Amino acid sequence: MIGLIDCNNFYASCERVFNPKLEGKPIGILSNNDGCVIARSNELKPLVAMGMPAYQIPPHIQKKITLLSSNYELYGDMSQRVFDTVRHYTADIELYSIDEAFIHLNGFSHVLSHCQNLKAIVKRDTGIPVSIGIATTRTLAKLANHIAKKHPIHQGVYCFPTDQEEKITILKQFSVADIWGVGWRITQRLKELGIHTAWDLHQANLKQIRQSFSVVLERTILELRGMNCIELDDLHTAKKNIMTSRSFGHLTNDLFDIQEAIRVHASRGAEKLRKQKSVANAVLVFLKTNRFRPELVQYNPSIVVPLLSASDDSRLIIHAAQKGLRSIYKPGFLFMKSGVMLLDLKTKDNYCQSDLFTAETSATEKHKSEQLMKTMDDINQKMGKNTIHLGGIRQTAAWQIKRERLSQRYTTRWDELPFVK
C-alpha cells in the first residue's frame, strides 16, 4: 500500500503555527516582491482568486484579510520538521513537493489506524494539519487524498476501496483533469475521444492510448486499475514542482562529488522547466543517507532557497542549489542520494514581475538570458545531452526581494539564509 501525505494549506498553516491569532482567519501568501496571491487559506478562497495581484484586491476585502510575504525559509524548515516526524513512523518516504510525500505502508497490519495515528502525531509535534490518502498505487492515492481533504466525514484519512462497485462509483465522480499527471492539454484531447471521467480513462483501450498519447498515460490507466507502475520522475506534464534526483554510485561524503551531482540535478531541472514554459520561485535541495544502514548515523537535511525573481535561467538555479547545499552539508555523514526540486512554478507567459527601479535593466538581462538558454537547449538537443553544460556561477545583483509583510523566520538549523542575488 502507498499513502500520500499532504499538508493542508501549507504556507498558511506554517504562519498559523507561530501566530495562533491567525487561526480561522482568511490568510493569503504573496509571491516574490509581494506581487500576487500564490497560496490561500480555506477562509480566503471565496474572497480572493488564486494569482490575483495584491493591488487589485478591493479595499473592503483587504480590511478583512491578512496578506503575508512568502517566507520560504520558514516553509522549508517546517517541511523538514513534518517529514522528519513522518520518517520516525514510516519506513520509506518519497518527497514529492515541499508539502507532499508518498509513504510506503507495506508491513503494517492496520494501515488505516496507523495513518490516523500518524496524522495526529504530525499535528501534535509540528502544528501542521495533514491529510492522508491510501491506495495500492500513487495515482489512486492522490485521488484518495483529495477525498480525505474535501470530505470531513473521513477526518483527514481515506483508504481507496478495493470493492469494485465502490471503486467504479468513486472514479465516475472525478474528471480526468483531477488525475495525477493529466494536464489540461491532454484533458482536452481525451474529451474529444469521449473520455471525461476517471472511470472512462480506466476503461480506455491501452493500445490506442499509447499510440495517441504516451507510455506515461498508459501507465496512468494501469495505475487506475491497481497496478503500481509510475515513479516520480515518469511524469512530464506541466506541474507545480519539478524534482530531479538520483542515488550515488556509492555512499559518499565528498563535497565535490555532491556539488557536482547537485549541479547536474539543478541543470536538468531548469531544462525541464523551460521545456514546459514555466518559471520557478524557489529551489529546494535535499540529501539522504542510507536508512538501510542502521549502523551509520542518519542525516536527511533539506533547505529552500528563494530566488530574487521567478526564473528559468540555469545559472541562477544552479547558484541557488549550490548555496542551499553549502548550508546543509555536514562532513562525517555518508550520503546515498541528493536531489533538487524547483518550487512554486508559474507559467512563464503569464508571470512577469520585475523591480520598478531595475525594470529596464531587467528587461535587457531577461532577453539575454532567454537567448543564452535557448542557444544552450538547441545545441544540446542537436548535438547531444550535456554538449554544453554549466559549472559554477558568480554572485550578481545586490537587490533584495521586496517582502514588506514577512513574518518571523522561525527556523531551527540556520540563523538566516541570504537570498540568491
Side-chain angles (χ1 to χ4, degrees), residues 156-317:
V157 180
Y158 181 75
C159 185
F160 204 90
T162 55
D163 178 78
Q164 186 66 10
E165 292 301 318
E166 288 185 60
K167 179 178 179 180
I168 293 172
T169 300
I170 291 173
L171 291 179
K172 285 182 177 180
Q173 295 172 4
F174 283 98
S175 164
V176 288
D178 297 324
I179 300 173
W180 185 44
V182 178
W184 68 269
R185 287 189 180 88
I186 293 178
T187 296
Q188 296 306 312
R189 291 176 60 193
L190 288 172
K191 288 182 177 180
E192 290 173 2
L193 297 175
I195 299 174
H196 298 275
T197 68
W199 176 247
D200 294 336
L201 188 59
H202 177 284
Q203 296 297 93
N205 183 282
L206 287 176
K207 184 177 180 181
Q208 180 186 9
I209 291 295
R210 182 166 189 170
Q211 290 175 345
S212 302
F213 295 90
S214 68
V215 66
V216 175
L217 190 58
E218 179 188 28
R219 291 174 183 170
T220 298
I221 295 174
L222 293 174
E223 290 243 334
L224 289 174
R225 296 176 182 179
M227 296 176 59
N228 188 13
C229 56
I230 288 183
E231 299 298 329
L232 293 188
D233 288 338
D234 286 340
L235 301 176
H236 300 286
T237 55
K239 43 195 173 183
K240 63 180 182 179
N241 303 298
I242 288 176
M243 184 173 74
T244 52
S245 64
R246 181 167 294 179
S247 297
F248 296 111
H250 55 82
L251 297 180
T252 182
N253 63 356
D254 188 291
L255 179 58
F256 180 82
D257 289 344
I258 299 172
Q259 286 176 325
E260 178 64 10
I262 291 297
R263 180 194 66 78
V264 171
H265 296 324
S267 179
R268 179 62 183 137
E271 290 175 6
K272 293 181 179 181
L273 192 65
R274 293 191 292 273
K275 188 175 181 180
Q276 71 172 42
K277 294 180 172 53
S278 298
V279 289
N281 279 290
V283 179
L284 181 148
V285 181
F286 68 88
L287 299 172
K288 293 181 69 174
T289 48
N290 190 346
R291 67 181 181 84
F292 297 107
R293 295 283 300 276
E295 74 277 12
L296 300 176
V297 180
Q298 300 295 305
Y299 177 51
N300 298 284
S302 68
I303 191 170
V304 175
V305 184
L307 298 172
L308 178 64
S309 60
S311 178
D312 62 1
D313 191 317
S314 294
R315 298 169 298 173
L316 298 177
I317 290 170

Side-chain angles (χ1 to χ4, degrees), residues 403-414:
R403 299 201 297 180
E404 295 177 345
R405 304 167 184 262
L406 184 66
S407 57
Q408 293 297 311
R409 301 176 183 180
Y410 299 101
T411 56
T412 57
R413 299 184 308 283
W414 57 87

